[in-house]
Amino acid sequence: MKPRYLTKSRFKLAHECPTKLFYTGKKDYVDNKLDDDFLRSLAEGGFQVGELAKLYYPGGTNIDELDHAKALAITNELLQRDKAIIYEAAFVFNNFFIRADIIIKSGSKIRLIEVKAKSYDNEEGFTGKNGSIRSTWKPYLLDVAFQKHVIKQAFPEFEVEGNLMLADKGQLTSIDGLNQKFFLSSVEGRTKVNVIGGTSAKDLGTAILATVNVDEYIEMLYQERYDFNGNDLSFIELANRYAEIYATDQITFCGLGSHCGSCEFKASDVQLKEGLLSGYHECWTAQANFKPEDFSTPHVLKIWDFRKKDDYITNRKQYFQNGITRADLDAEKPKKHTELG
Ligand code: SF4
């Protein structure tokens, strides 16, 4: 039987809601994010950014082998060398398995570089005024923290440095038509980015991607405590818990809340009629005792910009709009959006 590894995308999914680990990858269940993520990546240039990043660290070995064991063997062989640049390097430790975007190995040091199609402002940084990590950056930093943990466990003899490679807000491209140097193709159902032959870093003009060392923030995340179903866990305990949930394929309910409003495992009426399964419907039936008719009753989740959703759902157990008071809605109006930490 194929091992059920916790990968970086599954770690991210679990951090949104651990219950999602049960529904992900099962073809009987609706997953609306599969297409969404692909389209968003296309729109934001995610595929091209990954390829552009490799040009800034040229001369590496691209491991496009999909087979886990083969990808691990190639990675291990390359890491035997004193110096190596590896794209899509594979690492495994217990039930964790990751493919790292870029690895630069030099002696006993490994630089891990995670590439994101997201812009970064050096002046603003990753933390808010109160010194804690901004919520908008947290998923990205958790991602690198998770990868660093796996590499450290797989190769304890190496010093591992975590980096994010991001679009530098302070730089404008000095080359016209930079994006035309990259074109997309589909090979066996997978999207591939091809770089026009002969393109090198010097053809790219001003560096528009910045590599930012994020070890300081990773350390903050390692020190943080995480609530998991009422248990106070460390980062490593949390990652182990996610890995165990996924490996055993047991459904784990961790509470309903405002996060359910964007659940990708919610089937539409049409999808339900087609016989597809809906994780969302299962969750609300099991945890809120929903009957079929409740799914068509106007839900608290549907109220736009209503910040008391969690209070209504978790504490008051009032799931429908007819339970909302005028005073609650009015109380929302004067407040302005501010970024929390
Ligand atoms: S419906 Fe809510 S609890 Fe269930 S998987 Fe989706 S987000 Fe998680």
Side-chain angles (χ1 to χ4, degrees):
M1 218 172 67
K2 258 176 101 178
R4 289 175 59 85
Y5 287 125
L6 192 79
T7 58
K8 52 187 188 182
S9 57
R10 290 186 194 121
F11 176 82
K12 179 173 178 282
L13 200 66
H15 206 72
E16 291 166 10
C17 170
T19 314
K20 291 182 179 180
L21 287 174
F22 181 76
Y23 301 125
T24 186
K26 293 193 169 121
K27 63 177 176 13
D28 292 343
Y29 283 91
V30 163
D31 183 349
N32 294 309
K33 247 200 190 146
L34 286 178
D35 289 342
D36 274 10
D37 278 355
F38 176 79
L39 291 174
R40 192 177 312 122
S41 198
L42 266 187
E44 293 171 353
F47 295 109
Q48 290 92 331
V49 167
E51 230 32 56
L52 179 62
K54 291 176 189 169
L55 292 176
Y56 288 133
Y57 295 100
T61 305
N62 195 41
I63 307 181
D64 47 17
E65 177 61 65
L66 292 182
D67 181 82
H68 285 181
K70 287 180 187 163
L72 286 166
I74 300 168
T75 303
N76 289 349
E77 192 266 307
L78 290 165
L79 289 176
Q80 303 287 317
R81 302 180 188 174
D82 185 50
K83 288 190 185 300
I85 297 177
I86 315 169
Y87 316 128
E88 296 298 323
F91 296 90
V92 70
F93 175 72
N94 291 345
N95 286 323
F96 302 129
F97 178 87
I98 59 156
R99 300 296 294 258
D101 290 343
I102 301 176
I103 287 291
I104 301 170
K105 193 248 171 176
S106 178
S108 61
K109 192 167 176 180
I110 287 178
R111 286 184 76 204
L112 155 71
I113 300 173
E114 171 68 18
V115 184
K116 296 287 182 202
K118 180 167 170 66
S119 53
Y120 171 71
D121 186 335
N122 196 28
E123 301 282 302
E124 280 180 13
F126 298 108
T127 49
K129 285 197 183 89
N130 62 3
S132 59
I133 294 172
R134 289 176 198 273
S135 56
T136 46
W137 281 109
K138 206 158 184 181
Y140 301 95
L141 294 164
L142 279 165
D143 184 345
V144 195
F146 173 64
Q147 293 184 61
K148 180 172 172 173
H149 171 63
V150 178
I151 299 172
K152 276 291 307 166
Q153 297 306 309
F155 291 95
E157 67 274 30
F158 289 117
E159 183 193 335
V160 182
E161 178 193 292
N163 296 273
L164 273 174
M165 195 169 189
L166 304 158
D168 188 342
K169 252 191 184 166
Q171 297 294 342
L172 292 174
T173 175
S174 56
I175 302 285
D176 281 340
L178 183 61
N179 58 349
Q180 285 162 15
K181 293 189 183 293
F182 305 89
F183 60 95
L184 298 174
S185 65
S186 178
V187 180
E188 293 170 6
R190 291 184 83 214
T191 302
K192 271 194 77 138
V193 180
N194 304 282
V195 184
I196 288 181
T199 304
S200 69
K202 70 174 168 16
D203 303 314
L204 303 175
T206 315
I208 52 168
L209 297 183
T211 305
V212 188
N213 182 314
V214 293
D215 278 337
E216 177 189 346
Y217 310 103
I218 291 175
E219 206 42 52
M220 286 167 78
L221 293 170
Y222 287 166
Q223 297 304 322
E224 203 170 305
R225 305 296 299 179
Y226 301 83
D227 176 66
F228 183 91
N229 269 357
N231 296 304
D232 177 45
L233 303 183
S234 68
F235 180 91
I236 293 169
E237 288 168 335
L238 186 74
N240 287 339
R241 190 78 190 90
Y242 291 162
E244 185 190 324
I245 290 171
Y246 187 69
T248 53
D249 199 16
Q250 295 296 311
I251 193 155
T252 305
F253 293 124
C254 297
L256 304 162
S258 56
H259 58 283
C260 298
S262 55
C263 185
E264 60 270 45
F265 299 104
K266 182 180 182 181
S268 65
D269 291 345
V270 174
Q271 288 168 322
L272 288 172
K273 274 193 195 120
E274 284 169 355
L276 287 163
L277 299 178
S278 172
Y280 176 92
H281 285 68
E282 290 184 8
C283 282
W284 284 82
T285 303
Q287 297 179 83
N289 210 17
F290 264 34
K291 306 281 174 291
E293 60 275 20
D294 292 330
F295 290 100
S296 45
T297 306
H299 200 293
V300 167
L301 286 172
K302 295 273 181 199
I303 305 175
W304 187 75
D305 202 22
F306 180 51
R307 277 164 290 160
K308 284 190 179 164
K309 285 175 192 171
D310 279 319
D311 180 34
Y312 268 82
I313 294 169
T314 314
N315 303 326
R316 307 189 201 192
K317 312 279 182 228
Q318 287 187 19
Y319 310 122
F320 305 113
Q321 291 179 17
N322 59 14
I324 309 278
T325 64
R326 183 80 241 169
D328 277 333
L329 291 175
D330 287 345
E332 296 272 304
K333 279 183 191 161
K335 290 178 191 156
K336 283 212 166 117
H337 286 281
T338 49
E339 178 151 17
L340 298 173

